[in-house]
Coordinates of all heavy atoms in Angstrom, one line a residue:
V1 N 69.5 105.7 106.1 CA 70.6 104.8 106.2 C 70.7 104.3 107.6 O 71.1 103.2 107.8 CB 71.9 105.5 105.7 CG1 73.1 104.6 105.8 CG2 71.8 106.0 104.2
D2 N 70.5 105.2 108.6 CA 70.6 104.8 110.0 C 69.6 103.6 110.2 O 70.0 102.6 110.9 CB 70.2 105.9 110.9 CG 71.3 106.8 111.3 OD1 72.5 106.5 111.0 OD2 71.1 107.8 111.9
Y3 N 68.4 103.7 109.7 CA 67.4 102.7 109.9 C 67.9 101.3 109.4 O 67.7 100.3 110.1 CB 66.1 103.1 109.2 CG 65.0 102.1 109.3 CD1 64.1 102.2 110.4 CD2 64.8 101.1 108.4 CE1 63.1 101.3 110.6 CE2 63.7 100.2 108.6 CZ 62.9 100.3 109.7 OH 61.9 99.4 109.8
I4 N 68.5 101.3 108.3 CA 69.0 100.0 107.7 C 70.2 99.5 108.5 O 70.2 98.3 108.9 CB 69.4 100.3 106.2 CG1 68.3 100.6 105.3 CG2 70.2 99.0 105.7 CD1 68.7 101.2 104.0
H5 N 71.1 100.4 108.8 CA 72.3 99.9 109.5 C 72.1 99.4 110.9 O 72.7 98.5 111.4 CB 73.4 101.0 109.5 CG 74.0 101.3 108.2 ND1 73.9 100.4 107.1 CD2 74.9 102.2 107.8 CE1 74.6 100.9 106.1 NE2 75.2 102.0 106.5
V6 N 71.2 100.1 111.6 CA 70.9 99.8 113.0 C 70.2 98.4 113.1 O 70.4 97.6 114.0 CB 70.0 100.8 113.7 CG1 69.4 100.4 115.0 CG2 70.8 102.1 113.9
R7 N 69.5 98.0 112.0 CA 68.8 96.8 112.0 C 69.6 95.7 111.3 O 69.1 94.5 111.2 CB 67.4 97.0 111.4 CG 66.5 97.6 112.3 CD 65.4 98.4 111.6 NE 64.5 99.1 112.6 CZ 64.9 100.2 113.1 NH1 66.0 100.8 112.9 NH2 64.0 100.8 114.0
K8 N 70.8 96.0 110.9 CA 71.6 95.0 110.2 C 72.7 94.6 111.1 O 72.5 94.0 112.2 CB 72.1 95.7 108.9 CG 72.6 94.9 107.8 CD 72.7 95.6 106.5 CE 74.1 96.2 106.3 NZ 74.3 96.7 104.9
T9 N 73.9 94.9 110.8 CA 75.1 94.6 111.6 C 75.0 95.1 113.0 O 75.3 94.5 114.0 CB 76.4 95.0 111.0 OG1 76.4 94.6 109.6 CG2 77.6 94.6 111.7
G10 N 74.4 96.3 113.1 CA 74.2 97.0 114.4 C 73.4 96.1 115.4 O 73.8 96.1 116.5
A11 N 72.4 95.5 114.9 CA 71.6 94.6 115.7 C 72.4 93.4 116.2 O 72.2 93.0 117.4 CB 70.3 94.2 115.0
L12 N 73.2 92.9 115.4 CA 74.0 91.7 115.8 C 75.0 92.1 116.9 O 75.2 91.4 117.9 CB 74.8 91.1 114.6 CG 73.9 90.5 113.5 CD1 74.8 90.1 112.3 CD2 73.3 89.3 114.1
I13 N 75.7 93.3 116.7 CA 76.6 93.7 117.7 C 75.9 94.1 119.0 O 76.3 93.7 120.1 CB 77.4 94.9 117.2 CG1 78.4 94.4 116.1 CG2 78.2 95.6 118.3 CD1 79.1 95.5 115.3
L14 N 74.8 94.7 118.9 CA 74.0 95.1 120.1 C 73.6 93.8 120.9 O 73.7 93.7 122.1 CB 72.7 95.9 119.8 CG 71.7 96.2 120.9 CD1 72.4 96.9 122.0 CD2 70.5 96.9 120.3
A15 N 73.1 92.8 120.2 CA 72.7 91.5 120.8 C 73.9 90.9 121.6 O 73.7 90.5 122.7 CB 72.2 90.6 119.8
C16 N 75.1 90.9 121.0 CA 76.2 90.3 121.6 C 76.6 91.1 122.9 O 76.9 90.5 123.9 CB 77.4 90.3 120.7 SG 77.2 89.3 119.2
V17 N 76.5 92.4 122.8 CA 76.9 93.2 124.0 C 75.9 93.0 125.1 O 76.2 92.8 126.3 CB 76.9 94.7 123.6 CG1 77.0 95.6 124.8 CG2 78.1 94.9 122.7
R18 N 74.6 93.0 124.7 CA 73.5 92.8 125.8 C 73.6 91.4 126.4 O 73.4 91.3 127.6 CB 72.1 93.0 125.2 CG 71.8 94.5 124.9 CD 70.4 94.7 124.4 NE 69.4 94.2 125.3 CZ 68.8 94.8 126.3 NH1 69.2 96.0 126.6 NH2 67.9 94.2 127.0
I19 N 73.8 90.4 125.6 CA 73.9 89.0 126.1 C 75.0 88.9 127.1 O 74.9 88.4 128.2 CB 74.1 88.0 125.0 CG1 72.7 87.9 124.2 CG2 74.5 86.6 125.5 CD1 72.8 87.1 122.9
G20 N 76.2 89.5 126.8 CA 77.3 89.4 127.7 C 77.0 90.2 129.0 O 77.3 89.7 130.1
A21 N 76.4 91.3 128.9 CA 76.0 92.1 130.1 C 75.0 91.3 130.9 O 75.1 91.3 132.2 CB 75.4 93.4 129.7
R22 N 74.0 90.7 130.3 CA 73.0 90.0 131.1 C 73.6 88.8 131.7 O 73.3 88.5 132.9 CB 71.9 89.5 130.1 CG 71.0 90.6 129.5 CD 70.1 91.2 130.5 NE 69.2 90.3 131.1 CZ 67.9 90.4 131.1 NH1 67.3 91.4 130.6 NH2 67.2 89.4 131.7
L23 N 74.5 88.0 131.0 CA 75.1 86.9 131.6 C 76.0 87.2 132.8 O 76.2 86.4 133.7 CB 75.9 86.1 130.5 CG 75.0 85.4 129.5 CD1 75.9 84.7 128.4 CD2 74.2 84.3 130.2
S24 N 76.5 88.4 132.8 CA 77.4 88.8 133.8 C 76.7 89.4 135.0 O 77.3 89.9 136.0 CB 78.5 89.8 133.3 OG 78.0 91.0 133.0
G25 N 75.4 89.5 134.9 CA 74.5 90.0 136.0 C 74.4 91.5 136.0 O 74.2 92.1 137.1
A26 N 74.5 92.2 134.9 CA 74.4 93.7 134.9 C 73.0 94.1 135.4 O 72.0 93.5 135.2 CB 74.5 94.2 133.5
K27 N 73.1 95.2 136.2 CA 71.8 95.7 136.8 C 71.2 96.6 135.7 O 71.8 96.9 134.7 CB 72.2 96.6 138.0 CG 72.8 95.8 139.1 CD 72.9 96.6 140.4 CE 73.5 95.9 141.6 NZ 73.9 94.6 141.6
A28 N 69.9 97.0 135.9 CA 69.1 97.7 134.9 C 69.8 99.0 134.4 O 69.9 99.2 133.2 CB 67.8 98.0 135.5
A29 N 70.4 99.8 135.3 CA 71.1 101.0 134.8 C 72.3 100.7 134.0 O 72.5 101.3 132.9 CB 71.5 101.9 136.0
D30 N 73.0 99.7 134.4 CA 74.2 99.3 133.6 C 73.8 98.7 132.3 O 74.5 98.9 131.3 CB 75.1 98.3 134.4 CG 75.7 98.9 135.6 OD1 76.0 100.1 135.6 OD2 76.0 98.2 136.6
L31 N 72.8 97.9 132.3 CA 72.3 97.3 131.0 C 71.8 98.4 130.0 O 72.1 98.3 128.8 CB 71.1 96.3 131.3 CG 70.6 95.5 130.1 CD1 71.8 94.7 129.5 CD2 69.5 94.6 130.5
K32 N 71.2 99.4 130.6 CA 70.8 100.6 129.7 C 72.0 101.2 129.0 O 72.0 101.5 127.8 CB 70.0 101.6 130.5 CG 69.4 102.7 129.7 CD 68.5 103.5 130.5 CE 67.9 104.6 129.7 NZ 67.0 105.5 130.5
R33 N 73.1 101.5 129.8 CA 74.3 102.1 129.3 C 75.0 101.2 128.3 O 75.5 101.6 127.3 CB 75.2 102.5 130.5 CG 74.8 103.7 131.2 CD 75.8 104.2 132.3 NE 77.1 104.0 132.1 CZ 77.9 103.2 132.8 NH1 77.4 102.5 133.9 NH2 79.2 103.0 132.6
I34 N 75.1 99.9 128.6 CA 75.8 99.0 127.8 C 75.0 98.8 126.5 O 75.6 98.6 125.4 CB 76.1 97.7 128.5 CG1 77.2 96.9 127.7 CG2 74.9 96.8 128.6 CD1 78.6 97.5 127.9
S35 N 73.7 98.9 126.6 CA 72.9 98.8 125.3 C 73.1 100.0 124.4 O 73.2 99.9 123.2 CB 71.4 98.7 125.7 OG 71.1 97.5 126.4
R36 N 73.2 101.2 125.0 CA 73.5 102.4 124.2 C 74.9 102.3 123.6 O 75.1 102.6 122.4 CB 73.4 103.7 125.0 CG 72.0 104.1 125.3 CD 71.9 105.5 125.8 NE 72.7 105.8 127.0 CZ 72.3 105.7 128.2 NH1 71.0 105.4 128.5 NH2 73.1 105.9 129.3
Y37 N 75.9 101.7 124.4 CA 77.2 101.5 123.9 C 77.1 100.5 122.6 O 77.7 100.8 121.6 CB 78.1 100.8 124.9 CG 79.3 100.2 124.4 CD1 80.4 100.9 124.2 CD2 79.4 98.8 124.3 CE1 81.6 100.4 123.7 CE2 80.6 98.2 123.8 CZ 81.7 99.0 123.5 OH 82.8 98.4 123.0
G38 N 76.4 99.5 122.7 CA 76.2 98.5 121.6 C 75.6 99.1 120.4 O 75.9 98.9 119.3
E39 N 74.6 100.0 120.6 CA 73.9 100.7 119.5 C 74.9 101.6 118.8 O 75.0 101.6 117.5 CB 72.7 101.5 120.0 CG 71.6 100.6 120.5 CD 70.5 101.4 121.2 OE1 70.7 102.7 121.4 OE2 69.5 100.8 121.6
Y40 N 75.7 102.4 119.6 CA 76.6 103.3 118.9 C 77.7 102.5 118.2 O 78.1 102.8 117.1 CB 77.3 104.2 120.0 CG 76.3 105.2 120.6 CD1 76.4 105.4 122.0 CD2 75.4 105.9 119.9 CE1 75.5 106.4 122.6 CE2 74.5 106.8 120.5 CZ 74.6 107.0 121.9 OH 73.8 107.9 122.4
L41 N 78.2 101.5 118.9 CA 79.3 100.7 118.3 C 78.8 99.9 117.0 O 79.6 99.9 116.1 CB 79.8 99.6 119.3 CG 81.0 98.8 118.9 CD1 82.2 99.6 118.7 CD2 81.2 97.7 119.9
G42 N 77.6 99.4 117.1 CA 77.1 98.7 115.9 C 77.0 99.6 114.7 O 77.4 99.3 113.6
L43 N 76.5 100.8 114.9 CA 76.3 101.8 113.8 C 77.7 102.2 113.3 O 77.9 102.3 112.1 CB 75.4 102.9 114.2 CG 75.1 104.0 113.1 CD1 74.5 103.3 111.9 CD2 74.1 105.0 113.7
A44 N 78.6 102.5 114.3 CA 79.9 102.9 113.9 C 80.6 101.9 113.1 O 81.3 102.2 112.1 CB 80.8 103.2 115.2
F45 N 80.5 100.6 113.5 CA 81.1 99.5 112.7 C 80.6 99.5 111.3 O 81.4 99.4 110.3 CB 80.8 98.2 113.4 CG 81.4 97.0 112.6 CD1 82.6 96.5 112.8 CD2 80.6 96.4 111.6 CE1 83.2 95.5 112.1 CE2 81.1 95.3 110.9 CZ 82.4 94.9 111.1
Q46 N 79.3 99.6 111.1 CA 78.8 99.6 109.7 C 79.2 100.8 108.9 O 79.5 100.7 107.7 CB 77.3 99.5 109.8 CG 76.6 99.2 108.4 CD 77.1 97.9 107.9 OE1 77.0 96.8 108.5 NE2 77.6 97.9 106.6
I47 N 79.3 102.0 109.5 CA 79.8 103.2 108.8 C 81.2 103.0 108.4 O 81.6 103.3 107.3 CB 79.6 104.4 109.6 CG1 78.1 104.7 109.8 CG2 80.3 105.6 109.0 CD1 77.8 105.8 110.8
A48 N 82.0 102.5 109.3 CA 83.5 102.2 109.0 C 83.6 101.2 107.9 O 84.4 101.4 106.9 CB 84.2 101.7 110.3
D49 N 82.8 100.2 107.9 CA 82.8 99.2 106.8 C 82.4 99.9 105.4 O 83.0 99.6 104.4 CB 81.8 98.1 107.1 CG 81.9 96.9 106.1 OD1 83.0 96.4 105.9 OD2 80.8 96.6 105.5
D50 N 81.4 100.7 105.5 CA 80.9 101.5 104.3 C 82.1 102.3 103.7 O 82.3 102.4 102.5 CB 79.7 102.3 104.6 CG 78.4 101.6 104.8 OD1 78.4 100.4 104.5 OD2 77.5 102.2 105.2
I51 N 82.8 103.0 104.6 CA 83.8 103.9 104.2 C 85.0 103.1 103.6 O 85.5 103.5 102.5 CB 84.4 104.7 105.4 CG1 83.3 105.7 105.9 CG2 85.7 105.4 105.1 CD1 83.6 106.4 107.2
M52 N 85.3 102.0 104.2 CA 86.4 101.1 103.7 C 86.0 100.6 102.3 O 86.8 100.6 101.4 CB 86.7 100.0 104.6 CG 87.5 100.5 105.8 SD 88.1 99.1 106.9 CE 86.7 98.3 107.3
D53 N 84.8 100.2 102.1 CA 84.3 99.7 100.8 C 84.4 100.8 99.8 O 84.9 100.6 98.7 CB 82.9 99.2 100.9 CG 82.8 97.8 101.6 OD1 83.8 97.2 101.8 OD2 81.6 97.5 102.0
F54 N 83.9 102.0 100.2 CA 83.9 103.1 99.2 C 85.3 103.5 98.9 O 85.6 103.8 97.7 CB 83.2 104.3 99.9 CG 82.9 105.4 98.9 CD1 81.8 105.4 98.1 CD2 83.8 106.5 98.8 CE1 81.5 106.5 97.3 CE2 83.5 107.5 98.0 CZ 82.4 107.5 97.2
E55 N 86.2 103.6 99.8 CA 87.6 104.0 99.6 C 88.3 103.0 98.8 O 89.1 103.3 97.9 CB 88.3 104.4 100.8 CG 87.8 105.7 101.4 CD 88.5 106.2 102.7 OE1 89.0 105.3 103.4 OE2 88.4 107.4 102.9
G56 N 88.0 101.7 99.0 CA 88.6 100.6 98.2 C 88.1 100.7 96.8 O 88.9 100.5 95.8
E57 N 86.9 101.1 96.6 CA 86.3 101.3 95.2 C 87.1 102.4 94.5 O 87.5 102.3 93.4 CB 84.8 101.5 95.3 CG 84.2 102.0 94.1 CD 82.8 102.5 94.3 OE1 82.1 102.0 95.2 OE2 82.3 103.4 93.5
A58 N 87.3 103.5 95.3 CA 87.9 104.7 94.7 C 89.4 104.4 94.4 O 90.0 105.0 93.5 CB 87.8 105.9 95.7
A59 N 90.0 103.5 95.1 CA 91.4 103.1 94.9 C 91.6 102.0 93.8 O 92.6 101.5 93.7 CB 92.0 102.7 96.2
G60 N 90.5 101.7 93.1 CA 90.6 100.7 92.0 C 90.3 99.3 92.5 O 90.9 98.4 92.0
G61 N 89.4 99.2 93.5 CA 89.0 97.8 94.0 C 88.4 97.0 92.9 O 88.3 97.5 91.7
H62 N 87.9 95.9 93.2 CA 87.2 95.0 92.3 C 86.0 95.7 91.6 O 85.2 96.3 92.2 CB 86.7 93.7 93.0 CG 87.8 93.0 93.6 ND1 88.8 92.3 92.8 CD2 88.2 92.8 94.9 CE1 89.6 91.7 93.6 NE2 89.3 92.0 94.9
A63 N 86.0 95.7 90.3 CA 85.0 96.4 89.5 C 83.6 95.9 89.8 O 82.7 96.7 90.0 CB 85.3 96.3 88.0
E64 N 83.3 94.6 89.9 CA 82.0 94.1 90.2 C 81.5 94.5 91.5 O 80.4 95.0 91.7 CB 82.0 92.6 90.1 CG 80.6 91.9 90.3 CD 79.5 92.4 89.3 OE1 79.9 92.7 88.2 OE2 78.4 92.4 89.7
S65 N 82.3 94.4 92.6 CA 81.9 94.8 93.9 C 81.7 96.3 94.0 O 80.9 96.8 94.7 CB 82.9 94.3 94.9 OG 83.6 95.3 95.5
A66 N 82.5 97.1 93.2 CA 82.3 98.5 93.2 C 81.0 98.9 92.7 O 80.3 99.8 93.2 CB 83.5 99.2 92.4
R67 N 80.6 98.3 91.6 CA 79.2 98.6 91.0 C 78.1 98.3 92.0 O 77.2 99.0 92.1 CB 79.0 97.8 89.7 CG 79.7 98.4 88.5 CD 79.3 97.7 87.2 NE 79.7 96.4 87.1 CZ 81.0 96.0 86.7 NH1 81.8 96.9 86.4 NH2 81.3 94.8 86.6
K68 N 78.3 97.2 92.7 CA 77.2 96.8 93.7 C 77.2 97.8 94.9 O 76.1 98.2 95.3 CB 77.5 95.4 94.3 CG 77.3 94.3 93.3 CD 77.6 93.0 93.9 CE 77.4 91.8 92.9 NZ 77.8 90.5 93.5
E69 N 78.3 98.3 95.3 CA 78.4 99.2 96.4 C 77.8 100.6 96.0 O 77.1 101.2 96.9 CB 79.9 99.5 96.8 CG 80.5 98.4 97.6 CD 79.7 98.0 98.9 OE1 79.3 99.0 99.7 OE2 79.4 96.8 99.1
R70 N 77.9 101.0 94.8 CA 77.3 102.3 94.4 C 75.8 102.2 94.4 O 75.2 103.3 94.6 CB 77.8 102.7 93.0 CG 79.0 103.5 93.0 CD 79.4 103.9 91.6 NE 80.0 102.7 91.2 CZ 80.8 102.4 90.3 NH1 81.2 103.3 89.5 NH2 81.4 101.3 90.0
K71 N 75.2 101.1 94.3 CA 73.8 100.9 94.3 C 73.2 100.8 95.7 O 72.0 100.9 95.9 CB 73.4 99.7 93.5 CG 73.7 99.9 92.0 CD 73.3 98.7 91.2 CE 73.7 98.8 89.8 NZ 73.3 97.7 89.0
K72 N 74.0 100.6 96.7 CA 73.5 100.4 98.1 C 73.4 101.8 98.8 O 74.0 102.7 98.5 CB 74.6 99.6 98.9 CG 74.6 98.2 98.6 CD 75.6 97.5 99.5 CE 75.8 96.0 99.1 NZ 76.8 95.4 100.0
A73 N 72.5 101.8 99.8 CA 72.3 102.9 100.6 C 73.4 102.9 101.7 O 73.3 102.1 102.6 CB 70.9 102.9 101.3
T74 N 74.4 103.7 101.6 CA 75.5 103.7 102.5 C 75.8 105.1 102.9 O 75.3 106.1 102.3 CB 76.8 103.1 101.9 OG1 77.3 104.0 100.9 CG2 76.6 101.7 101.4
Y75 N 76.5 105.3 104.0 CA 76.8 106.7 104.4 C 77.6 107.4 103.4 O 77.3 108.6 103.1 CB 77.6 106.7 105.8 CG 76.6 106.8 106.9 CD1 75.9 105.7 107.4 CD2 76.4 108.1 107.5 CE1 75.0 105.9 108.5 CE2 75.5 108.2 108.5 CZ 74.8 107.1 109.0 OH 74.0 107.3 110.0
P76 N 78.7 106.9 102.8 CA 79.4 107.6 101.8 C 78.6 108.0 100.6 O 78.7 109.1 100.1 CB 80.6 106.7 101.4 CG 80.8 105.8 102.6 CD 79.4 105.7 103.2
T77 N 77.7 107.2 100.2 CA 76.9 107.5 99.0 C 75.8 108.5 99.4 O 75.4 109.3 98.6 CB 76.3 106.3 98.3 OG1 75.5 105.6 99.3 CG2 77.3 105.4 97.8
A78 N 75.3 108.5 100.6 CA 74.2 109.4 101.0 C 74.7 110.8 101.5 O 74.1 111.7 101.1 CB 73.4 108.7 102.2
I79 N 75.8 110.8 102.2 CA 76.2 112.1 102.7 C 77.7 112.5 102.4 O 78.1 113.5 102.8 CB 76.0 112.2 104.3 CG1 76.9 111.2 105.0 CG2 74.6 112.0 104.6 CD1 76.9 111.3 106.5
G80 N 78.4 111.6 101.8 CA 79.8 111.8 101.4 C 80.7 111.2 102.4 O 80.4 111.0 103.6
V81 N 82.0 111.0 102.0 CA 83.0 110.4 102.8 C 83.3 111.2 104.0 O 83.4 110.7 105.2 CB 84.2 110.0 102.0 CG1 85.3 109.4 102.9 CG2 83.9 109.0 100.9
A82 N 83.6 112.5 103.8 CA 84.0 113.4 104.9 C 83.0 113.4 106.0 O 83.3 113.3 107.2 CB 84.3 114.8 104.4
Q83 N 81.7 113.6 105.7 CA 80.7 113.6 106.7 C 80.5 112.2 107.3 O 80.2 112.1 108.5 CB 79.4 114.1 106.1 CG 79.4 115.6 105.9 CD 78.1 116.1 105.3 OE1 77.6 115.6 104.3 NE2 77.5 117.1 106.0
A84 N 80.7 111.2 106.6 CA 80.6 109.8 107.1 C 81.7 109.6 108.2 O 81.4 109.0 109.2 CB 80.7 108.8 106.0
K85 N 82.9 110.1 107.9 CA 84.0 110.0 108.8 C 83.7 110.8 110.1 O 84.0 110.4 111.2 CB 85.3 110.4 108.2 CG 85.8 109.4 107.2 CD 87.1 109.8 106.6 CE 87.6 108.7 105.6 NZ 88.9 109.1 105.0
D86 N 83.1 112.0 109.9 CA 82.7 112.8 111.1 C 81.7 112.0 112.0 O 81.8 112.0 113.2 CB 82.1 114.1 110.7 CG 83.1 115.1 110.1 OD1 84.3 114.9 110.3 OD2 82.7 116.0 109.4
R87 N 80.7 111.4 111.3 CA 79.7 110.7 112.0 C 80.3 109.5 112.7 O 79.9 109.2 113.9 CB 78.6 110.2 111.0 CG 77.5 109.4 111.6 CD 76.5 110.2 112.4 NE 75.3 109.4 112.7 CZ 74.8 109.3 113.9 NH1 75.3 110.0 114.9 NH2 73.8 108.5 114.1
L88 N 81.2 108.8 112.1 CA 81.9 107.7 112.7 C 82.7 108.1 114.0 O 82.5 107.5 115.0 CB 82.9 107.1 111.7 CG 83.8 106.0 112.2 CD1 83.0 104.8 112.8 CD2 84.7 105.5 111.1
R89 N 83.4 109.2 113.9 CA 84.1 109.7 115.1 C 83.2 110.1 116.2 O 83.4 109.8 117.4 CB 84.9 111.0 114.7 CG 86.3 110.7 114.1 CD 87.1 111.9 114.0 NE 86.6 112.8 112.9 CZ 86.9 112.7 111.6 NH1 87.7 111.8 111.2 NH2 86.4 113.6 110.8
D90 N 82.0 110.7 115.9 CA 81.0 111.0 116.9 C 80.5 109.8 117.6 O 80.3 109.7 118.8 CB 79.9 111.8 116.3 CG 80.3 113.2 115.9 OD1 81.3 113.7 116.3 OD2 79.5 113.8 115.1
L91 N 80.2 108.8 116.8 CA 79.6 107.5 117.4 C 80.6 106.8 118.2 O 80.2 106.3 119.3 CB 79.1 106.6 116.2 CG 77.8 107.1 115.5 CD1 77.7 106.3 114.2 CD2 76.7 106.9 116.5
V92 N 81.9 106.8 117.8 CA 82.9 106.1 118.7 C 83.0 106.9 120.0 O 83.1 106.2 121.0 CB 84.2 106.0 117.9 CG1 85.4 105.6 118.8 CG2 84.1 105.1 116.7
A93 N 83.0 108.2 119.9 CA 83.1 109.0 121.2 C 81.9 108.7 122.1 O 82.0 108.6 123.3 CB 83.2 110.5 120.9
Q94 N 80.7 108.7 121.5 CA 79.5 108.4 122.3 C 79.6 107.0 122.9 O 79.1 106.8 124.0 CB 78.2 108.6 121.4 CG 78.0 110.0 121.0 CD 76.8 110.1 120.1 OE1 76.8 109.5 119.0 NE2 75.8 110.8 120.5
A95 N 80.0 106.0 122.1 CA 80.1 104.7 122.6 C 81.1 104.7 123.8 O 80.8 104.1 124.9 CB 80.6 103.7 121.6
A96 N 82.2 105.3 123.7 CA 83.2 105.3 124.8 C 82.7 106.0 126.0 O 83.0 105.5 127.1 CB 84.5 106.0 124.3
Q97 N 81.9 107.0 125.8 CA 81.3 107.8 126.9 C 80.4 106.9 127.8 O 80.3 107.0 129.0 CB 80.6 109.0 126.4 CG 80.2 109.9 127.5 CD 79.5 111.2 126.9 OE1 78.9 111.1 125.8 NE2 79.7 112.3 127.5
Q98 N 79.8 105.9 127.1 CA 78.9 105.0 127.9 C 79.6 104.1 128.8 O 79.1 103.5 129.7 CB 78.0 104.2 126.9 CG 77.1 105.0 126.0 CD 76.2 105.9 126.8 OE1 75.6 105.5 127.7 NE2 76.2 107.2 126.4
L99 N 80.9 103.9 128.6 CA 81.7 103.0 129.4 C 82.4 103.7 130.6 O 83.1 103.0 131.4 CB 82.8 102.3 128.5 CG 82.2 101.5 127.4 CD1 83.4 100.9 126.5 CD2 81.3 100.4 127.9
T100 N 82.2 105.0 130.7 CA 82.9 105.7 131.8 C 81.9 105.9 133.0 O 80.8 105.8 132.9 CB 83.4 107.1 131.4 OG1 82.3 107.8 130.8 CG2 84.5 106.9 130.3

């Protein structure tokens, strides 16, 4: 699931973060840290989106979209909602750590 998510929305978020850093003249060490931040943030965003989709489905969301979500490789379907939330918290903490 990481492989898919990192190359999906995660790649778009990473690109935005890196472009901003490069345009602002970030030095190599700073670019490395901001890139890790973007990687963590991108994966965290996708996991949060998966959790919201899954929980919306459980709360009686749209039936057609719920069927599609169950067939996708997502964190909640692969490891469960509780573990997905734990992974999300870890990634947000790791992202924030890159900014200090």
Side-chain angles (χ1 to χ4, degrees):
V1 178
D2 275 350
Y3 181 86
I4 294 166
H5 286 351
V6 167
R7 284 155 184 79
K8 201 164 92 166
T9 307
L12 293 172
I13 291 173
L14 174 59
C16 293
V17 168
R18 284 184 56 89
I19 289 168
R22 294 287 302 233
L23 289 174
S24 69
K27 296 187 179 3
D30 293 331
L31 186 58
K32 187 174 180 178
R33 282 183 34 242
I34 200 73
S35 294
R36 283 193 306 265
Y37 165 80
E39 290 169 357
Y40 295 138
L41 183 65
L43 185 53
F45 177 89
Q46 191 60 54
I47 292 171
D49 186 58
D50 289 349
I51 292 168
M52 287 188 300
D53 287 344
F54 189 86
E55 288 181 338
E57 169 190 331
H62 300 290
E64 181 60 30
S65 112
R67 281 192 290 280
K68 289 179 183 177
E69 285 303 312
R70 268 183 282 201
K71 293 179 182 179
K72 289 182 183 178
T74 66
Y75 266 82
T77 59
I79 64 173
V81 175
Q83 287 181 304
K85 287 181 179 181
D86 288 343
R87 178 77 168 129
L88 174 59
R89 277 189 291 276
D90 290 344
L91 287 165
V92 170
Q94 289 175 303
Q97 190 174 32
Q98 298 307 311
L99 300 177
T100 59

